[in-house]
Amino acid sequence: MTRRRSPGQYGVLVALVVLALLVLAPMALVAMNAVKTPADYAAHGPLAWPRNPSLSGIVDFWHRADFGRKLLNSFVISLAVAVGGVVVSVLNAYALGIGKVRGRVAFLVAFLVANLVPQEGLVYPLYYLSKLVNLYDSQLAVIIIFTAIQSAFGTYLLSSVYAGFPTELLDAAAIDGAGRWRTLWRVVVPVSRPTLAVLFTFFFVWTWNEFLLPLVFLITNSHQTVPVALGVLQGQRMMDATTTSASALLGILPAVLFFLVFQRTLTRGIMAGSVK
Amino acid sequence: MSRSHRRAGYAIFLLPGAVLCTGVIAVPVLANVAASFTDWTGVGTPAWVGLRNYERLLGDDNFWASFSHIIALIVAMAVVPTLIGLVLAAVLFDYVSPRFGPRATSALRAGFYLPQVLPVAVTGIVWGWILHPDYGALNSVLGSAGLRSLARNWLGDPAYALYSVMVIMVWVQLGYPVVMFMAGLRRIDPELYEAADLDGAGWWQRFTRIAVPQIRPEIYVVLVTTTIAALKVFGQIFVLTRGGPGNATLVPSYFAYQNFFERANVGYGSAISTVLVVLIVALTFVFLRVQTRGGAA
C-alpha cells in the first residue's frame, strides 16, 4: 500500500500537520492555562508552559459552578431525549416506511417541515405554553421538546431506510403469525440496530450541545445543563483568565470524550446527519 | 385482508409522534406567526395590529444589519469551509492516505473535525478568552512577537468584531466538509483516475475534472446544510458579543431573543422569527427543487 515517498510529499504532510495543529491550538492553549495559577498567568502570560501546574483553578470552578450537578443534568436530559427520540422515530418510521399508511407523503412533508423550523420560531410560544402547564424551568419540558425535535429528524431519515426494508423478512414474520408489535420488536428493530445506534448517538450529542432552548427554559441554577451554566457564568464577566480556561476545559472534556468513544458511529453518521 | 385494513393497523404507531410534533412544533410555530400580528408584552391580552410589526421591521436598522450579517456568516460557514475543505479532503485522500497510511489520514481528519464536536457555548468561551483585549492569548502572542501594534480589541471594536466572528466560524465548520468530501471521494471509481493518469493529467486537473464533479452531491449537501446553519447562529453570538458592539455582530436569532426576553416586545420578536422561519423553509424547498431537477444526489 505504502509507496515511495518523495520530499515533496513530506512537505504536503508537514503542511497538513501544521494546519491541524493550528486548528487544535485553541484547545491546547485552554488546557495549558487551565492548570496555571493566576499568579503564574499574570507573570508569564498565556503562552508559557505552566510553572507549577495545579488543578486548583479547575477544582474551584467545579465547586463554584456545582459542575457535577450540571454534568448529571446534561447526562439525564441527553439520555432521555436520545432514548425517547429513537423510540418515537422508530414508531413513526414503522408506520410510514413499512406500513405505508394513508397520507404517507403528507406526513413525511410535515415531518420535513417540522425538522426545518428553527428553534427561534418556537421558543416564545413554548415558553408561554410551558408556564401554562406548570412545566417552566423543568427538565421534563426540555426533554419533551427535544424528543419531538429530534424525532422529526429521525422520522424523516428512518422512514427512507425502512421503505427499503427487505419484505421477505416481514413476510416470514407474518407467516409465523407475528402481529405488528411483535414484528416491529423482533424483526425490524434488531435488523436496523446499526442505524438506530447512529441516531441514538447523534440525538445524545446534539441534545448535549443545545443552547438556546435550555437557556430559556432552565433558569434555576441547579437545573441547568453544562453549556447553559458555562454560557451564563461567562456572561457575568466575573472570571479571570485561568478560571475562564478552567471552565472551557471542563466544557471541552466531555465533548472530546464523546467524540473518542463514538468516533466511528459519528463519522459513519455524519453523512446521514447532514440532512439536518 | 383488504389493503386499507392492512394499512389501518399501522396508523396507531404514528400517534405518539404526531401528537408530540403537533404540540411542540406545529402549534407553537403557528402561534408564533399569529403573535407577529399583535402588540404584546407577554402578559395580558395581545392587541391585533395587523402588519404593523412587519412595517416596522422594514425601517429598522437592526433588522437589516442582522439579516445582512447572515451573508457574512454564509461566507464564513458555507463558502470558505467548502473551498478549503475540498482541497484538504483531496490532499488527504490523494497524498496522505496512499503514502502515509490510513492512521495518519484519520488522525489528521479527526484533528480538523474536533471543533465541530464542541458545544457552541464552549466555543464561545474558548474564543472569548483568546480574543480578549486585556488578558487574551492572541494579543499576548502578538505582543511577544514584537507586533504589539497589531493588537486589537477583536470582539469589542465594531471594525473587527464581525471579521473575528467569521474567522471563528470557519474554525468551527472546517471539519464537516473535510469528513463529508473524504467520504465522497471514496465513492469515485478508481478507473476514472487510471484513465486520467493514462491521459497524463496532473493532480490539479484530476482534482478539478474528476474529483470535484464526482462529489457534487456532497458539495451540494454541505453548502445547503451549512447555509441553513448560518441562518440559525445563536450560541456563539450570545456568548461572544451579544450582537455588539452596537449591532456590529447582531444576527436574527439573537435579535428575536432580545425582543422576546429582554425588551418584552413579543409581537415584534415574533415577526423577526417568522421572517427567519419563512426564509429557511423557502430556501430549503428551493434547494430540494434544484437537487431533484439537477439530479444531484
Side-chain angles (χ1 to χ4, degrees), chain A residues 1-5 9-10 12-13 16-17 19-20 22-24 26-27 29-30 33 41 45-47 88 91-92 94-96 98-102 107 109 111-129 144-145 147-149 151-152 156 180-181 184 205 208-209 211-212 215-216 227-228 230-232 234-235 237 239-241 244-245 247-248 251-252 255-256 259 263 266-267 270-271 274-276, chain B residues 1 4-7 9-11 13-18 20-21 23-25 28-29 31-32 40-44 84 88 91-92 95-101 104 106 108-122 124-130 135-137 140-141 144 171 174 176 179-180 183-184 218 221 225 228 232-235 238-242 253 256-257 260-261 266 273 276-277 280-281 284-285 288:
Chain A
M1 182 80 195
T2 311
R3 285 187 250 158
R4 269 179 305 137
R5 302 161 177 173
Q9 282 152 8
Y10 274 105
V12 170
L13 184 71
L16 282 177
V17 170
L19 190 62
L22 271 176
V23 168
L24 296 175
M27 286 172 268
L29 267 178
V30 159
N33 288 288
Y41 188 92
L47 294 181
V88 175
L91 294 176
N92 284 342
Y94 187 48
L96 295 170
I98 290 177
K100 307 214 171 11
V101 294
R102 204 174 296 164
F107 273 113
V109 172
F111 279 111
L112 171 68
V113 174
N115 181 38
L116 294 175
V117 171
Q119 293 170 14
E120 290 78 6
L122 307 171
V123 60
Y124 201 87
L126 285 174
Y127 165 80
Y128 192 79
L129 222 73
I144 293 173
I145 292 168
T147 300
I149 291 176
S151 69
Y156 190 68
R180 306 237 190 279
W181 283 102
L184 173 62
V205 174
W208 186 283
N209 291 350
F211 188 66
L212 171 63
L215 174 76
V216 169
V228 172
L230 293 177
V232 168
Q234 171 74 5
R237 315 242 175 242
M239 299 203 289
D240 57 21
T244 306
S245 303
S247 75
I252 291 172
V256 172
F259 179 58
Q263 197 182 5
L266 282 170
T267 38
I270 286 163
M271 298 290 293
S274 60
V275 189
K276 197 170 172 95
Chain B
M1 197 158 59
S4 67
H5 182 241
R6 273 183 61 185
R7 289 180 171 195
Y10 285 101
F13 292 94
L14 211 48
L15 196 66
L20 258 181
C21 221
V24 173
I25 300 173
V29 80
N32 190 67
W40 190 32
T41 56
V43 284
I84 304 178
L88 284 180
V91 170
L92 279 171
Y95 277 98
V96 179
S97 185
R99 266 87 179 185
F100 299 94
S106 54
L108 283 167
R109 187 182 57 185
F112 293 127
Y113 191 72
L114 204 56
Q116 275 273 298
V117 304
L118 300 188
V120 288
V122 174
I125 296 169
V126 169
W127 283 98
W129 164 64
I130 289 175
Y135 59 68
S140 130
V141 171
S144 52
W171 179 80
L174 184 60
Y176 170 60
V179 169
M180 287 283 286
E218 281 82 4
V221 166
T225 49
I228 289 171
K232 300 197 232 180
V233 165
F234 175 82
F238 180 90
V239 176
L240 283 170
T241 62
R242 305 251 166 163
S253 63
Y257 176 90
F260 284 141
F261 298 108
V266 178
S273 54
L276 193 61
V277 172
I280 289 176
V281 173
T284 311
F285 275 91
L288 285 176

